[in-house]
Amino acid sequence: MSVKPFFACFFLLAATAFAAAAEPTTLVFFHENGCSHCERTEAFIESIRPGYPDLEILHHEIHDAESLDLLQKLLAAYGVEEGAVPILFVGDVAVVGGVFYGLEEAPFAPSGRSENIALERAIGLAVESGAPSPLARIDGASTGGLAETLTIPAVIVAAAADSVNPCTFAVLVLLLGTLLVVERKGHKSLVLKAGFAFTLAIYVSYFLMGIGIFSAIQAAGIQRPFILAVSCLAILLGLWNMKDYFAYGKWFTIEVPQRWRPTVKRLTASVVSVPGAFFVGVLDSLFLLPCSSGPYIAILALLSKTTTRTEGILYLLLYNLIFVLPLVAITLAVHFGFTTTARAERWRSARLGKLHLVSGVIMFLLGAGMLVAVFAGWM
């Protein structure tokens, strides 16, 4: 057998194997259902695709939560701002709302047929250079940078501040006081069971409300505007809470509105069972939302920008666990006789101003920190 044909076959097989093993060129395409511009862009890509057999197209619907999270990571990796769909990433080029980044020295926005020419050129350059997938830019990378690093501390601190909630304390103490009277008539461990039922209702209700708001923010794709609005609101609520340390009760106080209080007290005082305590806990979470929504909504805004849906759910589980810990402590203290409901209420009333001050300072810092992070590009 001649050596030359042998080597020729060997190199041909090696070249074929190398080509088969080579990574395809990846184009990541974000679109919106019903978007005519997206449909035209997709039709053009499909029309030129036979000329680029190694081109792999990854389609993502913009309103899908996971797709939205991926988009935020790619935008951060390419250093561009979010814009209108279609949004495409291929090689070193990002196309956002018809504006091309990375194809020329400066961003430019071609129109009509020239846009298709620019897009094909970007695809051709990526194929010719064997450009890695845009997804490689975010593998092992963090999009939120400092913001993601500070997410866990922010969740813990905000939850701790939110947990020292004078409104919820007042309802629980009133509930336990009523149940103590019933317990003395022979209903053993009623305070413990009902206190835990009330706490569980608060936990479940706040967690479900948090999931709903978090999902709505991510699905709507309005994280940045929402974060800016919530940050400003947190600063204002923080300042107003701090006001209550120096002038409690003057003007408006961030607590349950006065007209709601008789209804809350009447419902709470009528509870004599564990299911009733759970029901009051659910109502309490709705009635008392104005008293504790500030830190929670600020954290939801932060999570919507720095976490995926799964991560966000885990953070909310942690937040609400910290939030209800004081309620567990009060229930145990009353049940085992370490304190009385009257003493607990006196402690709460004597420290209302300080509780508002602590909550206000943390809300102010959280809102200011989020504003700095947004304008500094950290989130």
Side-chain angles (χ1 to χ4, degrees):
M1 179 179 179
S2 174
V3 175
K4 287 184 179 179
F6 172 79
F7 277 110
C9 292
F10 174 79
F11 284 118
L12 179 61
L13 290 171
T16 304
F18 178 79
E23 287 290 330
T25 300
T26 303
L27 183 148
V28 186
F29 182 22
F30 291 90
H31 62 92
E32 180 180 18
N33 292 334
C35 167
S36 58
H37 191 181
C38 300
E39 292 172 358
R40 289 194 299 271
T41 301
E42 184 174 9
F44 171 73
I45 294 173
E46 290 299 328
S47 71
I48 66 171
R49 195 170 184 180
Y52 303 96
D54 292 331
L55 181 64
E56 178 186 32
I57 303 174
L58 303 179
H59 294 270
H60 293 277
E61 213 289 325
I62 193 72
H63 294 303
D64 179 73
E66 296 297 327
S67 296
L68 190 58
D69 176 64
L70 176 62
L71 173 60
Q72 298 301 325
K73 292 180 179 180
L74 285 169
L75 290 171
Y78 278 80
V80 296
E81 291 288 328
E82 185 173 351
V85 288
I87 300 175
L88 304 96
F89 302 90
V90 59
D92 295 325
V93 179
V95 186
V96 182
V99 179
F100 284 71
Y101 300 86
L103 191 56
E104 302 289 347
E105 292 184 0
F108 70 101
S111 59
R113 187 168 178 274
S114 61
E115 181 177 345
N116 290 341
I117 294 173
L119 179 56
E120 185 170 7
R121 184 179 170 215
I123 293 172
L125 287 172
V127 172
E128 290 171 12
S129 64
S133 168
L135 302 180
R137 296 193 177 209
I138 61 174
D139 285 347
S142 170
T143 62
L146 184 60
E148 285 188 352
T149 304
L150 296 178
T151 296
I152 293 180
V155 167
I156 293 173
V157 172
D162 202 7
S163 70
V164 189
N165 189 320
C167 304
T168 307
F169 285 2
V171 175
L172 178 60
V173 169
L174 177 61
L175 173 67
L176 296 181
T178 303
L179 294 172
L180 275 173
V181 176
V182 179
E183 188 177 73
R184 291 190 186 109
K185 295 179 181 179
H187 294 76
K188 294 182 178 180
S189 302
L190 181 60
V191 165
L192 186 65
K193 294 175 183 176
F196 283 162
F198 175 86
T199 302
L200 178 63
I202 295 290
Y203 184 93
V204 172
S205 299
Y206 271 86
F207 174 72
L208 293 178
M209 285 189 284
I211 288 294
I213 297 171
F214 174 77
S215 300
I217 299 170
Q218 284 207 325
I222 53 171
Q223 291 103 323
R224 183 183 174 89
F226 187 79
I227 286 174
L228 290 173
V230 167
S231 300
C232 294
L233 179 63
I235 291 173
L236 292 175
L237 291 177
L239 291 172
W240 204 265
N241 258 312
M242 286 187 271
K243 178 273 300 181
D244 284 331
Y245 175 71
F246 302 99
Y248 178 77
K250 268 196 170 184
W251 309 299
F252 173 74
T253 299
I254 303 176
E255 289 185 2
V256 183
Q258 289 286 347
R259 64 179 180 276
W260 293 2
R261 295 185 186 185
T263 302
V264 174
K265 288 182 178 180
R266 186 170 62 255
L267 287 171
T268 306
S270 65
V271 172
V272 293
S273 67
V274 173
F278 186 89
F279 177 70
V280 166
V282 173
L283 287 181
D284 177 57
S285 64
L286 301 175
F287 273 110
L288 306 184
L289 195 60
C291 191
S292 61
S293 59
Y296 200 28
I297 291 178
I299 285 298
L300 289 171
L302 175 64
L303 293 179
S304 72
K305 184 68 175 178
T306 60
T307 67
T308 65
R309 178 177 173 80
T310 302
E311 292 170 340
I313 290 173
L314 293 176
Y315 281 126
L316 289 179
L317 288 170
L318 173 63
Y319 183 100
N320 285 285
L321 176 61
I322 296 171
F323 177 69
V324 301
L325 283 179
L327 303 181
V328 174
I330 292 173
T331 299
L332 291 174
V334 172
H335 172 73
F336 289 109
F338 295 122
T339 188
T340 63
T341 54
R343 207 180 308 159
E345 175 58 22
R346 284 197 299 272
W347 182 92
R348 185 195 74 89
S349 300
R351 290 164 176 79
L352 271 177
K354 290 181 180 178
L355 294 177
H356 279 287
L357 176 64
V358 171
S359 178
V361 169
I362 292 177
M363 285 180 64
F364 177 85
L365 293 177
L366 183 61
M370 289 168 60
L371 276 183
V372 171
V374 168
F375 288 113
W378 298 334
M379 62 181 294

